[in-house]
């Protein structure tokens, strides 16, 4: 019976705290006053992860609206959020790697890699794999060309390259051979 009473007390305390937090977030909400930022903020996933380099989604939305940040930094939102923000801002969608010269992926020079794991920790797509103090590799199926790994590499052994063709990306034009008799 005592366990049941303790369970009821903890449950009610949890619901009470949740209610208080909900009330405080609505009462003390800080509006940016920028209608474009508000529209962008509603398009973001609201996970407050900080992967974009800003404290929260509302701060990132304000930076986009003011032209201080690119629209493709929200990793959890992905392409869907980029399309929504591009529509709100009336600008073309950027390529995933930020360039116009094709789809590039990261490539690690294994002779220079010291296996510090800094690149794998910063990769939002988990494309870089390897053991500590051993050369790392990039899985081309997961790399989206965000270039975050390049800046963190202390040995500067990561470069963006055009990926090798696979059976899915190969141009399968087959010429018919003529029968010579």
């Amino acid at each position: 019976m005592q366990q049941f009473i303790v369970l009821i007390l903890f449950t009610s305390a949890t619901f009470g705290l949740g209610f208080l937090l909900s009330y405080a977030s609505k009462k003390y909400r800080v509006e940016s006053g920028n209608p474009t930022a508000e529209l962008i903020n509603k398009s973001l996933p609201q996970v407050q992860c900080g992967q974009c380099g800003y404290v929260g989604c509302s701060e990132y939305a304000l930076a986009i609206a003011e032209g201080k940040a690119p629209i493709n930094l929200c990793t959890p939102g992905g392409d869907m959020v980029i399309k929504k923000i591009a529509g709100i801002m009336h600008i073309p969608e950027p390529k995933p790697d930020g360039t116009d010269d094709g789809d590039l992926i990261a490539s690690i020079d294994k002779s220079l890699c010291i296996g510090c794991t800094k690149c794998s920790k910063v990769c939002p797509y988990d494309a870089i794999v390897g053991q500590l103090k051993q050369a790392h590799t990039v899985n081309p199926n997961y790399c989206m060309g965000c270039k975050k790994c390049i800046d963190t590499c202390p040995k500067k052994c990561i470069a963006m390259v055009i990926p090798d063709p696979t059976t899915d990306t190969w141009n399968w034009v087959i010429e018919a051979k003529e029968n010579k008799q």
Side-chain angles (χ1 to χ4, degrees):
M1 185 66 174
Q2 291 177 346
Q3 292 174 342
F4 183 71
I5 293 172
V6 170
L7 180 66
I8 296 295
L9 287 174
F10 277 122
T11 303
S12 60
T14 302
F15 280 115
L17 183 60
F19 175 76
L20 287 175
L21 287 173
S22 174
Y23 174 76
S25 71
K26 290 176 184 172
K27 181 172 173 81
Y28 299 107
R29 180 184 320 195
V30 177
E31 300 290 333
S32 67
N34 186 331
T36 305
E38 294 299 322
L39 281 173
I40 293 169
N41 191 29
K42 289 179 182 176
S43 300
L44 294 171
Q46 302 301 319
V47 294
Q48 317 304 336
C49 63
Q51 291 185 33
C52 60
Y54 292 90
V55 174
C57 293
S58 60
E59 186 178 315
Y60 176 51
L62 183 61
I64 292 172
E66 293 175 348
K68 296 178 182 176
I71 67 171
N72 60 349
L73 297 180
C74 182
T75 304
D79 293 334
M80 182 76 86
V81 167
I82 293 171
K83 288 178 183 179
K84 286 180 184 177
I85 296 172
I88 292 168
M89 297 293 291
H90 304 292
I91 58 174
E93 297 172 31
K95 290 200 173 261
D97 60 6
T99 64
D100 292 330
D101 55 355
D103 294 325
L104 301 177
I105 61 168
S107 176
I108 300 175
D109 184 350
K110 291 183 181 182
S111 65
L112 298 175
C113 181
I114 59 172
C116 66
T117 70
K118 290 182 180 180
C119 58
S120 62
K121 289 177 183 173
V122 76
C123 180
Y125 303 104
D126 294 329
I128 301 174
V129 293
Q131 299 281 334
L132 182 64
K133 297 185 181 180
Q134 293 181 5
H136 286 61
T137 57
V138 177
N139 184 338
N141 295 327
Y142 295 130
C143 182
M144 295 292 140
C146 69
K147 300 182 183 177
K148 290 183 179 182
C149 55
I150 293 176
D151 296 331
T152 59
C153 180
K155 299 301 274 184
K156 302 299 178 201
C157 63
I158 304 174
M160 300 305 289
V161 298
I162 297 172
D164 293 331
T166 64
T167 54
D168 293 331
T169 61
W170 184 263
N171 185 4
W172 288 99
V173 177
I174 301 172
E175 297 178 16
K177 292 184 180 181
E178 294 180 24
N179 291 334
K180 294 183 182 180
Q181 295 182 358

